[in-house]
């Protein structure tokens, strides 16, 4: 007879076997990171450029990113895509505030050709008027569709409240920006931030070492001279801002404060504290606002890191009639974390959960590489995760209280809502 | 190639074991052979609501998630029109925790009124967040009943309307559980660095004493052959006109399923596809266009959807669209184009198979289709498709009389 009332014994995390990528210096500042041990035929190559939305005097970073494969003097955009698709290659063009990343996914038998086509397209893009107009037309439509979503409206307003000290970090596109752009501005941005903006190359694939040298020869000329400069402190505007969208049946809510990144002494312990608060399915926010009250499909929080600093954010979408009640419950949960010591049982659960998450985020060569890169940009390596494991094992109730009291101060939060009627 | 072993418990539970010696994690994936297509037309959204209730505690364990998190794991689930799939990912040394939790909720739920009450609200908010509070969010609530008149694919997994969710009663919940949630209606996959004997022992220990139950017979109303073009226009406060052409296509087990899949890729998968190049890039009639298949187990849909450019009419689009569709029906596609489509599929498959969870879910799905080995035959099936096959399926599928068209007209000026 199986005893179903008794939970099976839990075995603690054994050690994690980290696999270091090989590191090549392209220049003194720009490096290539290569994870060669992979049990299949896939290859992933990422090119990181200092070409995020904070770059350039005009707001064209996103345009240039979208147009990278839009054609050269020799090849049309369709030709470029046909060639890449013919090799079974997938290209991702993503852009954030600080970095733009172009990723190539393909089988290793096709990687050389695919990189050649991709590099040629990026190097020689001409920004033809026709392609620029097509891009603007599509972006205008996407902008209007996005503007119908409360989740997007709240994000735009939140960015202005959170990065109030920086025009570059808080700025964003408005519809008028999508009406016209001069190809010359695009060319200049491309020249400055792509052709002289490569910051790192990430490779996961069972390739030949000689190919890595050839890859460096192909793209090394794009290397950025010197270290890119980033904002090292954000200053937010505390208090409530509302964006009206009269026909919305749900209201999007965002709260946030400037914080820090992995380089700060409190970072690891803060991660544990904020997990209890709202960063896993059994968190305080989920248990109260979803599982007890049924106000939302989901609510969560997290720390977003930038190169030199970071911020803390709480985010949800709730029925419009319960938005005020939701804010009250978020505040209630903050206060509870500041005044009541967390139960040992709950703390143990979160500790084990977080250890499991570290194990999961080290599973497989691609995950291992991401894990490494997440520490590398803050000047750390895999030793950071061993440190994290120690912090998780050692943290106690007192330290959680202390962190909650230091950082979770309601009056310091920027609170932004988007939906029907202000609250 | 995904290696696996199979065995069946006396109570009918089918078990697949996939050994991966490279991972420190384990996956426990449970597929229940029940989806929205099995619902009563007057109580839709129930399979999905029920999925939420499966996390509300079982007969011996008050809370599902906490013990799993305590073991360093996490869990989630999804419901489709065809199946309900639950998965747990956790450190391999704690796999027994997942088996304890999953087997207990297969044995019996706690059925607390509080859980039902809360999850009704959560699902209603999910309904709003995904279907009502997004531009074009409700198109599938309209398109399904347009395309299907008899088959239960006429409603979405979230349900026809919020009222059906509000009305869900505890007695419905209990009856649903009794009918569908038993070993004879489930497929379990264990993946990780284990040995077969070890897996057999553990699975027998936790699942062996669960009463078998009866595998419910599935008799669904067959969708009659569509013989007429259908069209519906809805007006919405959205920025631009949008179109959804839905063509009936063969069921999942048909050999033509894979051909229709490639056909949809040729039409609208990427920036080399015919609709993108002709209608978006060249004619500039749309700002977005794509084609894909719904992947349903019974007769599915091949969808072509997109948004019109400002000042373009639905008629202009329709004329241009049918020229592209007729072309693929009248002339065979080139070997170069076909090779391109196959290469993309090959790459995508290689990346998908990297994930342990993906492998486990796929093994269960193919076992449901009849044989888990099918997961390893897909590559060969795709590679053997020839241009003439695509032309034949295009001729069968891409016809007016096989098409349901939903137009979303903007009310914004």
């Amino acid at each position: 007879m199986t005893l179903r009332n008794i939970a099976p014994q839990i075995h603690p995390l054994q050690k994690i076997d980290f696999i270091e990528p090989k590191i090549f210096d392209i220049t003194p500042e720009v490096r290539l990171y290569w994870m060669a041990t992979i049990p299949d035929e896939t290859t992933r190559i990422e090119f990181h450029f200092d070409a995020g939305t904070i770059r350039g005097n005009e707001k064209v970073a996103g345009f240039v990113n979208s147009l990278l494969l839009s054609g050269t003097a020799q090849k049309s955009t369709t030709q470029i895509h046909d060639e890449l698709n013919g090799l079974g290659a997938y290209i991702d063009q993503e852009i954030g505030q600080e970095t733009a990343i172009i990723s190539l996914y393909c089988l290793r038998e096709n990687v050389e050709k695919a990189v050649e086509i991709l590099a040629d397209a990026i190097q020689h893009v001409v920004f033809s008027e026709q392609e620029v107009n097509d891009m603007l037309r599509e972006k205008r439509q996407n902008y209007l569709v996005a503007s119908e979503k409360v989740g997007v409206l709240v994000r735009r307003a939140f960015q202005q409240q959170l990065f109030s000290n920086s025009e570059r970090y808080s700025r964003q596109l408005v519809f008028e920006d999508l009406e016209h752009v001069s190809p010359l501005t695009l060319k200049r941005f491309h020249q400055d931030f792509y052709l002289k903006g490569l910051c790192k190359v990430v490779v996961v694939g069972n390739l030949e070492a000689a190919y890595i040298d050839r890859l460096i020869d192909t793209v090394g000329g794009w290397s950025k001279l010197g270290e890119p400069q980033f904002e090292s402190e954000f200053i937010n505007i505390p208090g409530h801002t509302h964006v009206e969208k009269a026909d919305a049946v749900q209201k999007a809510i965002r709260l946030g404060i400037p914080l820090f990144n992995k380089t700060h002494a409190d970072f690891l312990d803060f991660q544990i504290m904020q997990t209890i608060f709202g960063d896993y399915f059994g968190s305080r926010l989920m248990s109260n606002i979803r599982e007890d009250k049924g106000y939302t499909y989901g609510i969560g929080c997290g720390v977003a890191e930038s190169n030199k600093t970071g911020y803390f954010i709480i985010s949800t979408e709730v029925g419009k009639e319960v938005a005020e009640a939701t804010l009250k419950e978020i505040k209630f949960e903050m206060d509870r974390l500041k005044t009541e010591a967390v139960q040992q049982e709950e703390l143990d659960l979160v500790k084990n959960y977080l250890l499991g998450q570290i194990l999961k985020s080290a599973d497989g060569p691609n995950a291992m590489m991401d894990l490494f890169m997440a520490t590398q940009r803050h000047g750390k390596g895999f030793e950071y995760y061993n440190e994290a494991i120690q912090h998780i094992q050692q943290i106690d109730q007192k330290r959680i209280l202390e962190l909650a009291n230091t950082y979770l101060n309601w009056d310091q939060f920027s609170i932004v809502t988007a939906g029907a009627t202000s609250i | 190639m995904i290696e696996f072993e199979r065995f069946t418990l006396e109570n009918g539970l089918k078990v697949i074991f996939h050994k991966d010696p490279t991972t420190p994690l384990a996956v426990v994936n449970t597929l229940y052979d029940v989806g929205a297509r099995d619902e009563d037309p007057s109580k839709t959204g129930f399979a999905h609501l029920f999925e939420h209730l499966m996390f509300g505690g079982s007969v011996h364990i008050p809370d599902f998630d906490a013990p799993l998190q305590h073991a360093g794991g996490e869990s989630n689930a999804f419901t489709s029109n065809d199946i309900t799939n639950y998965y747990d990912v956790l450190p391999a040394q704690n796999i027994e925790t997942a088996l304890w939790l999953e087997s207990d909720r297969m044995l019996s739920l706690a059925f607390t009124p509080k859980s039902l009450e809360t999850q009704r609200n959560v699902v209603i908010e999910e309904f709003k967040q995904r279907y009502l509070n997004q531009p074009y969010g409700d198109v599938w609530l309209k398109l399904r009943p347009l395309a299907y008149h008899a088959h239960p694919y006429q409603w979405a997994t979230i349900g026809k309307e919020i009222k059906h969710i509000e009305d869900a009663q505890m007695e419905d919940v209990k009856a649903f559980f009794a009918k569908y949630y038993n070993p004879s209606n489930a497929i379990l996959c264990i993946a990780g660095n284990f040995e077969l004997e070890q897996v057999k022992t553990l699975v027998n220990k936790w699942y062996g004493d669960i009463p078998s139950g009866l595998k419910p017979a599935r008799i669904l109303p067959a969708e009659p052959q569509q013989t007429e073009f259908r069209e519906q226009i809805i007006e919405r406060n959205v920025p631009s006109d949008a179109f959804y052409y839905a063509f009936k296509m063969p069921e999942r087990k048909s050999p033509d399923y894979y051909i229709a899949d490639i056909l949809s890729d040729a039409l609208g998968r990427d920036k080399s596809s015919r609709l993108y190049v002709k209608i978006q890039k060249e004619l500039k009639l749309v700002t977005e266009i794509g084609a894909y298949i719904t992947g349903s187990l019974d007769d599915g849909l091949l969808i072509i959807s997109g948004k019109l450019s400002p000042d373009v009419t639905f008629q202009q689009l329709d004329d241009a669209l049918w020229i592209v569709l007729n072309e693929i029906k009248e002339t065979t596609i080139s070997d170069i184009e076909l090779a391109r489509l196959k290469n993309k599929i090959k790459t995508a498959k290689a990346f998908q198979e990297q994930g342990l969870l993906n492998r486990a879910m796929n093994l269960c799905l193919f076992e449901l289709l009849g044989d888990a080995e099918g997961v390893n035959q897909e590559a060969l099936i795709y590679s053997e498709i020839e241009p003439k096959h695509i032309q034949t399926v295009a001729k069968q599928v891409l016809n007016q009389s096989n098409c349901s068209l939903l137009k979303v007209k903007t009310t914004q000026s």
Side-chain angles (χ1 to χ4, degrees), chain B residues 130-246:
Chain B
R130 292 189 167 173
Y131 296 83
L132 305 182
N133 211 31
Q134 302 291 336
Y136 313 98
D138 65 341
V139 294
W140 278 97
L141 303 180
K142 301 291 173 190
L143 188 55
R144 285 186 170 279
L146 187 64
Y148 293 102
H149 287 178
H151 191 280
Y153 283 166
Q154 65 190 267
W155 56 85
T157 51
I158 196 75
K160 285 180 189 169
E161 51 186 314
I162 285 183
K163 182 148 194 325
H164 284 189
I165 300 161
E166 285 169 346
D167 288 348
Q169 297 302 312
M170 186 57 90
E171 65 211 72
D172 302 326
V173 173
K174 288 186 176 170
F176 197 85
F177 184 84
K179 185 168 179 188
Y180 295 109
Y181 280 74
N182 52 57
S184 59
N185 204 39
I187 299 166
L188 175 70
C189 179
I190 311 284
N193 189 13
F194 306 106
E195 298 303 330
L196 178 63
E197 283 314 306
Q198 183 189 4
V199 169
K200 279 186 175 169
T201 308
L202 285 173
V203 172
N204 263 301
K205 172 180 170 186
W206 290 107
Y207 291 84
D209 64 355
I210 302 174
S212 165
L214 277 178
K215 172 131 185 114
R218 175 177 284 120
I219 307 160
L220 300 180
E223 184 65 23
Q225 172 85 39
Q226 186 173 337
T227 53
E228 79 298 342
F229 175 69
R230 299 171 189 165
E231 181 180 311
Q232 189 184 350
I233 303 172
I234 55 173
E235 294 197 336
R236 290 288 181 273
N237 181 20
V238 289
S240 54
D241 294 337
F243 53 89
Y244 301 81
Y245 289 81

Side-chain angles (χ1 to χ4, degrees), chain A residues 2 4 11 42 82 85-86 88 90 131 134 137-138 141 148 247 249-250 291-292 319 352 360 363, chain B residues 23 70 74 94 100 103 114 118-119 125 205-206 269 272 280-281 284 308-309 343-344 347 354:
Chain A
T2 306
R4 294 187 177 274
H11 306 278
T42 65
D82 283 357
N85 287 328
Y90 290 78
E131 289 297 327
D134 283 357
R137 194 167 50 93
E138 284 159 27
Q141 206 82 325
E148 295 291 326
D247 59 348
V249 296
Q250 277 193 324
E291 291 300 301
D292 185 51
N352 287 350
K360 194 177 158 196
D363 186 32
Chain B
T23 177
H70 190 245
E74 61 185 346
N94 291 332
W100 168 62
S103 65
K114 164 80 182 160
T118 305
Q119 292 310 319
E125 289 306 321
K205 172 180 170 186
W206 290 107
R269 177 177 187 139
S272 295
Q280 180 161 347
K281 206 66 207 160
K284 308 194 193 306
L308 294 185
S309 295
N343 281 343
K344 294 275 296 210
T347 307
Q354 285 182 332

